[in-house]
Amino acid sequence: MQQVHFQRGSEDKCAFVFSCPGREEEKAGYPAAKMTGINLGKLFTVLNEMKIRDYYFERSNVTITNAWANVEYDAKTSRSEATNEEVLSPDNIDRLAKELEAITDLIVCCGQKARLAIQALVDNNRLKIGAKVVFINHLGMKSINQITTDINGEPIVAVAKHPDRFTVPEKEIGSGNTKKRLEVVAARIRDALLKE
């Protein structure tokens, strides 16, 4: 069943957990909409290019949920996410555990609230034995832009300071920078999947 905060994947191998649905998810009627969803799709492309064993990432086969199920945004709730106490409340943790109970291989926590909630499930042995957990940046641009070096450790040069900014469209430079940042995120996920 698909809800604003939850979309069950057609396979039980992998789940992505975000913080909470916001304005864009409420409008779209599904989790990880707008820029977060665009970056999630780009991340899936990078992961698929890495050819990790028999994994194929696409929105329809991956479960997507949130650390907090309620829609939060300033105009509606005067905040953008839940408190730590709300995220860790027994009812909320029970809800999240149920949504993730079938996931066998990998749970990707996108951002701090997701990390907090999943760590609570790990600490209480409420995930399937053998499921690996990896913590990554949230996939919104504000968080992704905090990644400052590429997969080879080279600095990612901001558009405004990029040496090609006068000859290459800024949008193209920005898109290239986002891909470099998502390659770093994808490498973390790949490493978690391949870790024995």
Side-chain angles (χ1 to χ4, degrees):
M1 182 167 116
Q2 187 166 310
Q3 302 166 18
V4 173
H5 83 278
F6 177 68
Q7 173 187 312
R8 175 144 183 117
S10 61
E11 298 178 6
D12 290 330
K13 288 182 179 182
C14 180
F16 279 70
V17 182
F18 292 89
S19 298
C20 67
R23 179 192 314 267
E24 299 302 333
E25 289 74 22
E26 184 176 63
K27 278 194 236 173
Y30 56 83
K34 199 72 178 199
M35 204 67 225
T36 298
I38 291 168
N39 284 339
L40 182 63
K42 289 177 181 179
L43 177 60
F44 289 166
T45 298
V46 172
L47 285 164
N48 292 332
E49 288 170 356
M50 290 180 165
K51 299 187 185 330
I52 307 165
R53 292 187 185 152
D54 63 339
Y55 289 94
Y56 186 76
F57 294 87
E58 64 183 5
R59 192 173 187 107
S60 63
N61 66 10
V62 170
T63 292
I64 302 170
T65 190
N66 283 270
W68 180 246
N70 297 348
V71 173
E72 303 284 354
Y73 57 90
D74 285 338
K76 182 174 187 157
T77 61
S78 299
R79 63 186 191 171
S80 59
E81 57 185 31
T83 65
N84 290 351
E85 293 76 17
E86 289 169 324
V87 169
L88 294 173
S89 67
D91 287 349
N92 188 60
I93 292 297
D94 288 346
R95 183 257 328 154
L96 186 58
K98 188 171 184 168
E99 291 172 356
L100 298 174
E101 67 187 356
I103 303 301
T104 58
D105 291 18
L106 180 70
I107 297 170
V108 180
C109 305
C110 305
Q112 291 303 313
K113 297 298 179 181
R115 181 183 194 126
L116 182 69
I118 296 303
Q119 192 61 57
L121 294 178
V122 168
D123 292 346
N124 291 289
N125 298 312
R126 298 199 57 192
L127 297 176
K128 197 171 271 298
I129 294 171
K132 296 171 180 162
V133 175
V134 63
F135 304 108
I136 66 169
N137 296 57
H138 192 282
L139 294 179
M141 289 310 297
K142 184 177 178 182
S143 184
I144 287 293
N145 285 339
Q146 292 175 13
I147 299 170
T148 58
T149 56
D150 68 16
I151 201 165
N152 300 310
E154 297 294 322
I156 298 172
V157 181
V159 173
K161 296 180 180 179
H162 201 282
D164 297 333
R165 69 185 180 279
F166 299 113
T167 57
V168 176
E170 288 185 4
K171 190 172 183 176
E172 189 176 321
I173 295 169
S175 180
N177 284 349
T178 298
K179 183 171 187 200
K180 289 176 186 177
R181 292 179 171 109
L182 291 172
E183 286 170 348
V184 171
V185 173
R188 285 187 212 150
I189 294 168
R190 177 200 61 209
D191 294 349
L193 271 173
L194 297 178
K195 193 176 189 179
E196 291 305 326

